[in-house]
Amino acid sequence: MNHRKEVLHAKDNIDDGIGMPSWNLVGFLVLSSAIVFLILFKGIRSSGKASYVTGVTPFVFLIVFFIRAVTLPGAIDGIKYFFTPRWEDILKPSVWFAACTQVFFTLNVFFVNVIMCASYNKFDHNIYRDSNIVTTLDTFTSILVGCITFGIVGHLAHELKVDDISKVFQGGPGEIFSLLIATINLNFFFTRTCLRHISRSHLEIPNFATSF
């Protein structure tokens, strides 16, 4: 099952143009940008307070997504596929490249926003404690998102009566969004996306300002 046209409104070929925007997405983008402006209006202190909300709320959404995913018919088969190792792929460079990309992206390794935020810490701040907390939460989040994704993939395989789950999941950065929207209320999903945009943007904008 391919949700590229129904969900992403993607064209088969760039020669066909990019098509009309998703107005749900446009609305949430405008709303989230306005909220980012209000957060940063009084400087970095208000940004730090907002992080408590933007940092915790996405986990609430992920738990909701997880409950929804695991209760779908066939979800358990997908989760089993997720946790079943394929030892023949362990020596493939592409596997390790994908793993390193995942770690660097989710932990924001060498990203300037980490350096900028760290500059506001006290000199004797316990950075080792923070590193352990962040890496533990990152690992937990990655496993949780994996269970959500493959739970939905297992459900799609069940609906399509496909035994080989790998034939259902195409992969790619947009696939998880297509799968979530296909099984979860569209506005609920875009609310989560809006919060994610706020979470990143209210740190990236100070980064840009700091560089000057």
Side-chain angles (χ1 to χ4, degrees), residues 1 15 44 74 90-91 113 119 124 131 145 151 157 170 181 183:
M1 182 179 292
D15 296 333
I44 193 66
I90 195 68
L91 297 179
N113 57 337
S119 68
D124 58 350
S131 299
V145 172
Q170 296 180 353
I181 296 175
T183 54

Side-chain angles (χ1 to χ4, degrees), residues 26-189:
V26 172
F28 277 108
L29 179 61
V30 172
L31 175 63
S32 59
S33 298
I35 294 174
V36 169
F37 171 78
L38 294 175
I39 291 174
L40 297 176
F41 185 72
K42 292 186 177 180
I44 193 66
R45 291 188 180 276
S46 59
S47 176
K49 294 177 181 178
S51 296
Y52 288 105
V53 177
T54 60
V56 174
T57 307
F59 282 97
V60 176
F61 279 87
L62 284 177
I63 292 173
V64 173
F65 291 160
F66 176 76
I67 295 173
R68 170 61 176 163
V70 298
T71 54
L72 293 171
I76 299 302
D77 294 331
I79 295 175
K80 287 181 180 179
Y81 177 84
F82 172 55
F83 283 105
T84 301
R86 289 181 291 178
W87 299 111
E88 65 276 10
D89 294 337
I90 195 68
L91 297 179
K92 291 183 179 180
S94 59
V95 173
W96 290 97
F97 176 78
C100 291
T101 302
Q102 167 73 7
V103 171
F104 271 70
F105 179 76
T106 57
L107 289 176
N108 286 341
V109 178
F110 299 130
F111 279 41
V112 68
N113 57 337
V114 176
I115 300 173
M116 187 274 294
C117 290
S119 68
Y120 292 98
N121 286 332
K122 296 180 179 179
F123 184 78
D124 58 350
H125 185 78
N126 191 346
I127 190 173
Y128 297 106
R129 180 200 60 195
D130 290 353
S131 299
N132 288 328
I133 293 174
V134 170
T135 52
T136 301
L137 285 175
D138 176 73
T139 302
F140 168 76
T141 304
S142 297
I143 295 174
L144 182 62
V145 172
C147 290
I148 295 170
T149 303
F150 282 90
I152 297 174
V153 170
H155 170 65
L156 293 178
H158 174 78
E159 291 293 314
L160 296 171
K161 296 180 172 50
V162 176
D163 294 329
D164 189 356
I165 294 179
S166 62
K167 294 181 179 179
V168 178
F169 187 71
Q170 296 180 353
E175 190 72 12
I176 177 60
F177 299 105
S178 301
L179 293 171
L180 285 174
I181 296 175
T183 54
I184 297 172
N185 181 270
L186 187 62
N187 289 324
F188 185 78
F189 172 79

